[in-house]
Amino acid sequence: MKNITLEPAVDLLAMLRRSEISPMELADEYIQQIEKLNPRINALVDFDAERVREQVRAAERSKLRGPLYGLPMTVKAAIATAGYRCETGSVLNRGYIPAEDAVVVARMRRAGVTMLGTTNCPEFLMAYETENRLYGRTSNPWDLEYTAGGSTGGESAVIAAGLSACGIGSDSGGSVREPAHFTGICSLKPTPGRIPSKGHLAGSDGPFAMLGSLGPMARTMKDVELLFEILSEHDETDPTGAPVQKRKLSLEELKRIPIGVFEDDGMVPVTAETRQAVRDAAEALERQGFCVRRYRPPSLELARQLWWKLFVRCGLMLLEPVIKGRESELSETFRGFLELARRAGPLGGDELLKVWCDCSVVRAKLLEEMREFPVLLCPVCAIPAFRHGERSWQVDGQRVEYLDAMRYTVWFNLLASPAAVVPVGRSPEGLPIGVQIAGRPYEDEIVLGVAAEVEREFGYVAPPVAIG
């Protein structure tokens, strides 16, 4: 029997509109899937079946019918969701329940979603593996011995396993893209401000206003596009936002945009299957009539170095006052981040000023380098999902360390540009491998359009735990 919870969100919405299923019936399907699988993958951290049903009954009584009416969704537990635990994975925030929604969550509710709950994340979001002392680790629905990624690992796991139709995460260094790649779903890191970040509880100030953004995650690119269309709107109180006109591009217009493709960054090797996934995606676009050429922007490494200084070293400076005197309560994963950041030390005033200036210089270089190829196709990560706790790997005869393996997303955080992930290949262990499609700032619709064309020949496949 077909599992309805694994269907695309756009198809579920069509069924709801045609009254082929009621919001309550659909909610009950997801409740059953959650009760069956969440104990195994440990991804939802605040869920109550009766609260979900009461929410549906209240929506039916109100007669309000938004564009997402009746669609069951989830939110990363670092984005303020009124009435739900949003503890950013830390015992320091144990029991925190926001009184007000983040802007994006308020928009979701107005659109009519059925809120299922909030999802697990690493402590203060500073890891590519979702594990903390509050709720433990989240497992990958493709293999429970592997991580679902981070920092939006709980969200990626529930969507991949059919515990949620789609959801919202956040990304300052790959955090909606790495988990999507690890679990075989789609995601978008938008240009900062396209979806307002107000209400992101880990902070979106200073350098993180440029590095980070809130982004949609779903099983298909059509679903990601739909969420972006509904939730992206300028918020006049958001200092990172801009009143950007939404664009509709035809397939012919998209095909006139040259695409640069590179299989590695020339510094850290990727697995053979990762390389093949990028080749397969490039060949699929060529067959469809796109102009795809080998090209790797020369300034990527400069961008990565600046991201590291801002994310890791500034991140430490922002978090030190929060954790002072309570380090014994921190998770092992987060203490690993602190150790790494402290070895480098805080940024002094002169160095911080130089980093800010260098950001403008390097971003300008990257934009110049992307004139000929406004869209880039490349890996998401050097490796597929890794086993819980692993921190180094042998790739192509070379030892690759944890943060180096994850470096393939951070360039586009520094550039403050959109980047999407689409599942394409498989590792020898059968784990998903995604590819990344990135563009220039505010050209989110181009990225979404190209990603949708990549998906035509590949896309989501249900993981074993969801169909077993």
Side-chain angles (χ1 to χ4, degrees), residues 163-322:
L163 279 63
S164 175
C166 46
I168 299 294
S170 57
D171 187 319
S172 294
S175 288
V176 301
R177 288 166 290 157
E178 300 282 357
H181 157 64
F182 284 175
T183 61
I185 65 169
C186 301
S187 68
L188 171 72
K189 180 202 88 70
T191 302
R194 291 297 302 265
I195 295 178
S197 60
K198 185 177 180 180
H200 186 248
L201 299 169
S204 300
D205 303 318
F208 288 87
M210 173 182 70
L211 299 179
S213 56
L214 306 191
M217 306 175 76
R219 288 183 287 274
T220 71
M221 282 309 304
K222 280 188 177 180
D223 296 343
V224 170
E225 287 185 79
L226 175 66
L227 292 181
F228 180 78
E229 174 68 24
I230 292 171
L231 301 176
S232 64
E233 197 68 51
H234 176 55
D235 176 9
E236 60 187 19
T237 68
D238 183 356
T240 66
V244 180
Q245 190 72 31
K246 291 179 182 175
R247 301 173 64 185
K248 292 286 187 184
L249 292 101
S250 67
L251 184 55
E252 289 69 28
E253 289 175 304
L254 287 173
K255 287 180 180 179
R256 288 197 290 269
I257 301 170
I259 298 171
V261 58
F262 59 97
E263 297 168 8
D264 62 60
D265 69 348
M267 301 189 70
V268 172
V270 303
T271 66
E273 295 77 23
T274 299
R275 193 179 300 278
Q276 189 61 51
V278 175
R279 289 175 184 166
D280 290 346
E283 290 170 4
L285 288 171
E286 286 183 316
R287 284 194 295 272
Q288 294 174 38
F290 284 83
C291 174
V292 182
R293 297 289 183 269
R294 288 190 170 274
Y295 177 69
R296 184 170 65 209
S299 299
L300 293 177
E301 176 57 14
L302 291 174
R304 186 205 64 82
Q305 292 172 9
L306 288 171
W307 172 88
W308 197 90
K309 291 177 181 178
L310 291 173
F311 185 90
V312 177
R313 296 175 69 186
C314 283
L316 171 66
M317 295 164 71
L318 291 169
L319 287 168
E320 287 278 25
V322 178

Side-chain angles (χ1 to χ4, degrees), residues 128 173-174 177-178 262-271 274-275 278 296 300 304 377-383 395 400 402-413 419 421 436 438:
Y128 292 104
R177 288 166 290 157
E178 300 282 357
F262 59 97
E263 297 168 8
D264 62 60
D265 69 348
M267 301 189 70
V268 172
V270 303
T271 66
T274 299
R275 193 179 300 278
V278 175
R296 184 170 65 209
L300 293 177
R304 186 205 64 82
L377 171 64
C378 64
V380 187
C381 186
I383 58 172
V395 179
V400 175
Y402 176 58
L403 285 182
D404 279 334
M406 312 300 160
R407 65 194 283 136
Y408 283 81
T409 53
V410 303
W411 310 312
F412 307 117
N413 292 98
V421 168
Q436 184 172 207

